[in-house]
Amino acid sequence: MKKILLSLLIITGFSVQSNAQQWLQVKGGAGLSMAQGYEGATSGVGILAGLGYKHQIYKKLIMEGDILFDSRAMLYPTNQIDGDGFTIMLAGGGSYVQIPITIQYMMPFKKKQLIPYRVSQPKSYFFLEGGPYFAYGLSVVSYNNPDVIAPYIGTADSIVAADLTPRSIDVGITAGIGVNFNLGENGKRLIVGARSNFGMLNIYKDDRLGKATNMALMGYLAYDISLTKRQHIRHPW
């Protein structure tokens, strides 16, 4: 919770500045969720939804911080075989509160209209984005293979019960691409984008249970509401 509060304070700190464009964003999307490194794991549906804050920090750079509900589903292969000779799959994944903080680089469709000492907002532009994310698991499910656990039972180096619980913290990198469209003179904008999340922490607390990290490929729609009335941004040359 301390990390979540710290992230919120950082985002709020940017919002008090008055020298740049600011937006409130509503975002939602879906895609594929995976467990990288877990052999035989099958990808499932991932869903994200939430709010974001965007702050222009330079003429082509925007910082964005989101608070998202992130639901991930996937199937884990077990060591059990059904009557037809197929491996029994166990549903896994989880629900997280995710906080990504990204920097977006804008690439306008057309050159910006230049006014002395000012640069207008482009009507439409492509963007690339990237940055870290932190996620806290509200409910996380994984599969602990009993064949892996068995050799350690009753030994001095046994796998303790606490380590059989999947890790609730996930930290990783977010990267994405999208298109941002102007919806009029009131500062409202529509975004169509795609993001990839690459988890860096093993889902299991004990590495002997296996290696698996979260990964997601998500498409999304977002709607920006301008928090500033200024149509141009001053830039010293």
Side-chain angles (χ1 to χ4, degrees):
M1 289 302 296
K2 290 182 180 179
K3 292 183 179 180
I4 294 176
L5 292 174
L6 178 60
S7 298
L8 291 175
L9 288 174
I10 292 172
I11 294 171
T12 303
F14 280 108
S15 68
V16 299
Q17 302 179 37
S18 59
N19 196 33
Q21 293 281 62
Q22 304 165 40
W23 298 268
L24 176 67
Q25 183 179 94
V26 180
K27 176 179 293 180
L32 293 177
S33 179
M34 294 162 275
Q36 285 289 97
Y38 196 111
E39 186 176 354
T42 302
S43 60
V45 176
I47 298 173
L48 64 84
L51 299 175
Y53 169 76
K54 296 170 65 176
H55 189 101
Q56 188 162 12
I57 57 177
Y58 193 61
K59 56 187 176 182
K60 286 190 176 183
L61 296 178
I62 292 177
M63 174 174 281
E64 178 176 341
D66 301 325
I67 301 177
L68 305 172
F69 174 76
D70 178 12
S71 177
R72 309 170 187 175
M74 60 198 74
L75 294 174
Y76 292 98
T78 71
N79 65 336
Q80 303 174 14
I81 306 297
D82 63 18
D84 296 322
F86 294 101
T87 299
I88 296 175
M89 305 293 286
L90 177 70
S95 298
Y96 294 79
V97 174
Q98 182 193 129
I99 301 179
I101 299 177
T102 60
I103 298 294
Q104 295 182 359
Y105 177 73
M106 299 187 295
M107 297 174 286
F109 289 178
K110 298 181 180 180
K111 291 184 179 180
K112 295 183 179 181
Q113 179 183 0
L114 294 180
I115 302 175
Y117 303 105
R118 296 187 179 186
V119 179
S120 64
Q121 284 290 318
K123 290 187 177 180
S124 301
Y125 61 86
F126 295 105
F127 65 87
L128 299 174
E129 63 175 338
Y133 77 81
F134 167 82
Y136 178 78
L138 304 175
S139 174
V140 186
V141 178
S142 62
Y143 174 68
N144 300 314
N145 191 334
D147 289 345
V148 174
I149 300 172
Y152 298 99
I153 295 177
T155 68
D157 195 26
S158 63
I159 299 175
V160 299
D163 288 342
L164 297 179
T165 303
R167 195 187 303 272
S168 59
I169 301 297
D170 187 27
V171 176
I173 296 173
T174 293
I177 188 171
V179 184
N180 188 306
F181 301 97
N182 182 31
L183 295 181
E185 300 301 324
N186 52 11
K188 295 181 174 63
R189 307 185 72 92
L190 175 69
I191 299 92
V192 180
R195 277 183 173 179
S196 297
N197 292 330
F198 303 92
M200 301 175 66
L201 295 181
N202 191 7
I203 296 174
Y204 302 103
K205 296 178 181 179
D206 192 317
D207 290 343
R208 291 174 295 177
L209 295 173
K211 293 285 189 179
T213 57
N214 283 311
M215 180 178 176
L217 303 174
M218 311 288 284
Y220 67 87
L221 290 175
Y223 181 68
D224 282 355
I225 303 170
S226 179
L227 300 176
T228 51
K229 296 181 179 180
R230 301 165 64 239
Q231 298 298 315
H232 301 85
I233 308 300
R234 288 184 178 275
H235 293 292
W237 301 99

